[in-house]
Amino acid sequence: RKLHTETNFTIWQSGVTDTTFIDNQVTGLVEYDYAITAVDQLGNESPLSVTVSSYPATFDGGILIVDEWIQDYAYFPDQAEQLAWMDTVMGTTPFMVETVETNGAALSKGDAGRFSSIFWMDEDIFTKILTNSNSTLDWYLSNPTNVMIDGYQTIQNWSTYTVPPDHLLRQEFGVSNFN
């Protein structure tokens, strides 16, 4: 393991035979790199594996604003204007903006897990990138976190389960399905 900004790896744990590893000695909002080697019975060590980078899921880094605002109409605010608006609205609240503006883009657990709240801003009428992040959002919501999803017809495109007729989502917002 090493900090993402460091050059050399240090042996963090040896003798691991399991297929999963949880590093409980990490600091929030710090990116770590991991690589593994294998050692055979004669002591021959393999080269380092491909490096994997991630932030620990500490759920304490303020607010993550996921910007799915695709600049596809000339009269919409451009990216700089959108960021200025976010900065004004958030004031002194710590936040970071993650932009997902292409089909196939998805929010990673490493990015989501750094924050206590996610504001997903989706104003595009046709492109719904939110669905690419379902597994990350399901995982994120299984922890003590908050999510706000804002967008034109976003809920309609992220729907699986029927909302009971007496549920607040149906009565107040007309949502008939959710995931």
Side-chain angles (χ1 to χ4, degrees):
R1 171 182 101 169
K2 69 179 183 74
L3 297 177
H4 188 68
T5 56
E6 296 176 339
T7 305
N8 298 318
F9 282 94
T10 58
I11 296 175
W12 188 246
Q13 191 168 17
S14 61
V16 176
T17 58
D18 202 348
T19 57
T20 61
F21 170 71
I22 297 175
D23 188 351
N24 291 320
Q25 297 180 14
V26 292
T27 303
L29 301 177
V30 175
E31 187 173 19
Y32 292 89
D33 293 342
Y34 295 88
I36 61 172
T37 61
V39 180
D40 66 19
Q41 293 177 345
L42 299 175
N44 299 310
E45 186 171 3
S46 71
L48 283 173
S49 68
V50 173
T51 301
V52 177
S53 300
S54 189
Y55 290 88
T58 55
F59 306 106
D60 61 359
I63 297 171
L64 175 62
I65 298 174
V66 179
D67 176 6
E68 192 182 320
W69 289 335
I70 298 172
Q71 187 65 35
D72 53 0
Y73 297 102
Y75 52 86
F76 281 175
D78 64 22
Q79 193 67 26
E81 292 168 323
Q82 293 171 9
L83 291 173
W85 174 82
M86 289 179 210
D87 193 48
T88 300
V89 169
M90 298 309 290
T92 60
T93 303
F95 75 97
M96 184 183 104
V97 177
E98 176 76 19
T99 303
V100 289
E101 292 187 345
T102 59
N103 286 325
L107 181 63
S108 72
K109 290 179 183 177
D111 287 335
R114 295 184 278 166
F115 300 92
S116 58
S117 299
I118 294 176
F119 291 174
W120 193 292
M121 307 299 185
D122 166 27
E123 54 69 349
D124 193 70
I125 296 171
F126 303 108
T127 306
K128 299 299 176 189
I129 301 172
L130 176 74
T131 56
N132 298 338
S133 299
N134 278 354
S135 64
T136 296
L137 291 171
D138 286 346
W139 166 81
Y140 183 81
L141 288 168
S142 70
N143 292 283
T145 57
N146 305 292
V147 172
M148 181 191 87
I149 300 171
D150 172 43
Y152 179 79
Q153 297 184 346
T154 300
I155 297 296
Q156 292 177 7
N157 289 280
W158 191 41
S159 304
T160 303
Y161 304 108
T162 302
V163 176
D166 59 343
H167 194 281
L168 175 71
L169 284 174
R170 182 171 286 199
Q171 291 179 351
E172 296 297 322
F173 302 105
V175 175
S176 59
N177 295 290
F178 70 95
N179 183 358

